[in-house]
């Protein structure tokens, strides 16, 4: 048990979740490395949600609410850190959830499917029984997509995504939203809206934003999306990284 008074309490709690997930067998071998990279960036922004991240979250939620077929793509890391929060956000914005693994194996897909079902979420896509298609006719595991989910989606939220996969999604003409603590990653640069924040803070905050934006006129949401400049916002995000005390 980590004492709550520990100065690194929150961060250690997340490490514990990752270790547990790893033992349960649904993380890729490189998952811890990806988590560590995220931790380093989080440290440098003071482990707090920054203003540019908040701005990007408003835009991302507006985009999800305006979409016809929005999908939240989940991998092992996202599931380990924020499964319940992801389900809540999906329900709030009317998005589907799809399992989307860079290193897709039947075993990992099976475990993750069961985890969502255990939380009472039955409609998970990208499962072993799902109708899987290939994006842009790329016949490899990095391009798989559920026919009713990512394959036909107009907007996809891809938290903690790898650059190769993000590129395939982007090239297929989708509106791409990401949550990635690294503002320099290929995924952040390639996305239409990049939220430089920890998934554990970002997702619940986005659900709160959704409750607010759902009461607003559609015109307000369209304006939010149209006025946003991701490149500019990423520059501002980078400026939040502090290398001095
Ligand atoms: P890219 O291929 O996009 O250039 P990468 O090689 O770093 O980036 P991965 O390691 O596959 O890609 O993706 C993990 C990304 O997720 C990293 O950029 C990391 O900073 C980020 N990340 C890890 N943990 C979290 C977290 N808890 N919240 C938000 N982002 C995270």
């Amino acid at each position: 048990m980590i004492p709550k008074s520990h100065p690194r309490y929150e961060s250690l709690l997340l490490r514990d979740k990752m270790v547990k997930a790893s033992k349960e067998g649904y993380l890729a071998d490189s998952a811890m490395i990806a988590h560590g990279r995220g931790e380093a960036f989080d440290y440098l922004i003071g482990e707090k949600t920054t203003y540019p991240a908040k701005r990007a979250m408003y835009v991302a939620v507006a985009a999800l609410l305006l979409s016809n077929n929005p999908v939240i793509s989940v991998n092992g890391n996202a599931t380990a850190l924020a499964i319940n929060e992801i389900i809540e956000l999906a329900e709030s914005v009317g998005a589907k959830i799809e399992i989307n693994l860079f290193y897709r194996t039947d075993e990992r897909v099976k475990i993750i499917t069961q985890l969502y079902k255990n939380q009472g979420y039955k409609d998970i896509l990208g499962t072993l029984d799902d109708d899987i298609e290939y994006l842009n006719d790329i016949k490899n595991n990095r391009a798989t997509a559920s026919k009713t989910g990512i394959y036909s989606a107009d907007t996809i939220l891809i938290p903690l995504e790898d650059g190769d996969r993000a590129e395939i999604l982007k090239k297929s003409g989708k509106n791409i939203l990401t949550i990635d603590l690294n503002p320099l990653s290929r995924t952040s640069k390639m996305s239409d809206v990049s939220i430089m924040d920890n998934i554990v803070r970002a997702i619940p905050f986005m659900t709160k934003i959704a409750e607010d934006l759902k009461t607003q006129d559609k015109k307000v949401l369209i304006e939010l999306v149209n006025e946003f400049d991701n490149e500019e916002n990423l520059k501002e995000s980078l400026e939040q990284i502090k290398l001095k005390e």
Side-chain angles (χ1 to χ4, degrees):
M1 267 289 273
I2 310 155
K4 269 200 165 168
S5 56
H6 194 288
R8 313 271 334 123
Y9 177 74
E10 295 292 337
S11 170
L12 292 176
L13 216 59
L14 299 188
R15 281 193 181 182
D16 258 12
K17 288 189 177 181
M18 293 296 293
V19 171
K20 184 167 171 273
S22 179
K23 284 184 182 153
E24 287 173 14
Y26 65 93
L27 293 186
D29 292 342
S30 58
M32 294 296 182
I33 300 169
H35 183 74
R37 182 172 287 170
E39 268 189 352
F41 278 100
D42 207 12
Y43 211 105
L44 294 173
I45 57 166
E47 294 167 329
K48 289 200 175 71
T49 300
T50 64
Y51 181 73
K54 278 186 194 164
R55 184 197 284 135
M57 282 190 241
Y58 269 90
V59 177
V61 172
L64 288 167
L65 290 171
L66 288 169
S67 299
N68 294 321
N69 190 14
V71 175
I72 303 177
S73 155
V74 293
N75 57 19
N77 288 42
T79 301
L81 296 172
I83 183 169
N84 290 315
E85 293 80 358
I86 289 168
I87 295 171
E88 257 181 67
L89 176 63
E91 285 171 349
S92 173
V93 298
K96 294 169 181 164
I97 303 177
E98 177 166 340
I99 301 168
N100 163 21
L101 306 181
F102 184 67
Y103 299 106
R104 188 178 165 94
T105 66
D106 286 0
E107 182 60 13
R108 278 206 284 275
V109 170
K110 222 164 84 186
I111 300 173
I112 296 175
T113 303
Q114 196 54 48
L115 286 170
Y116 282 86
K117 290 197 169 157
N118 291 349
Q119 297 307 317
Y121 187 82
K122 307 268 183 282
D123 303 325
I124 186 89
L125 297 173
T127 63
L128 296 180
D129 313 321
D130 205 349
D131 202 353
I132 300 290
E133 299 273 348
Y134 289 91
L135 290 162
N136 308 344
D137 283 332
I138 303 171
K139 296 262 188 276
N140 78 24
N141 273 352
R142 289 179 198 182
T144 53
S146 160
K147 198 169 178 180
T148 56
I150 288 178
Y151 189 76
S152 52
D154 44 0
T155 299
I156 315 171
L157 174 63
I158 50 168
L160 285 55
E161 183 61 275
D162 148 89
D164 291 350
R165 174 87 189 170
E167 189 175 7
I168 292 168
L169 292 170
K170 183 70 206 152
K171 280 194 178 147
S172 71
K174 319 276 186 194
N175 188 25
I176 304 294
L177 322 169
T178 191
I179 301 169
D180 189 331
L181 277 159
N182 179 2
L184 298 168
S185 75
R186 286 179 303 148
T187 304
S188 289
K189 288 185 174 165
M190 224 175 300
S191 296
D192 298 284
V193 182
S194 307
I195 301 161
M196 182 196 68
D197 201 12
N198 197 316
I199 187 172
V200 302
R201 293 191 299 270
I203 299 265
F205 197 75
M206 288 170 77
T207 304
K208 275 197 195 137
I209 293 172
E211 294 315 310
D212 170 19
L213 289 189
K214 275 197 279 188
T215 66
Q216 305 281 336
D217 201 279
K218 200 172 161 185
K219 270 201 314 215
V220 176
L221 308 193
I222 295 173
E223 228 172 75
L224 266 172
V225 172
N226 287 346
E227 282 173 5
F228 183 71
D229 180 338
N230 200 45
E231 213 180 311
E232 194 50 46
N233 203 60
L234 270 177
K235 267 191 213 153
E236 276 187 48
S237 300
L238 251 179
E239 285 161 14
Q240 306 295 316
I241 294 178
K242 294 185 185 67
L243 293 171
K244 285 191 204 138
E245 266 211 300

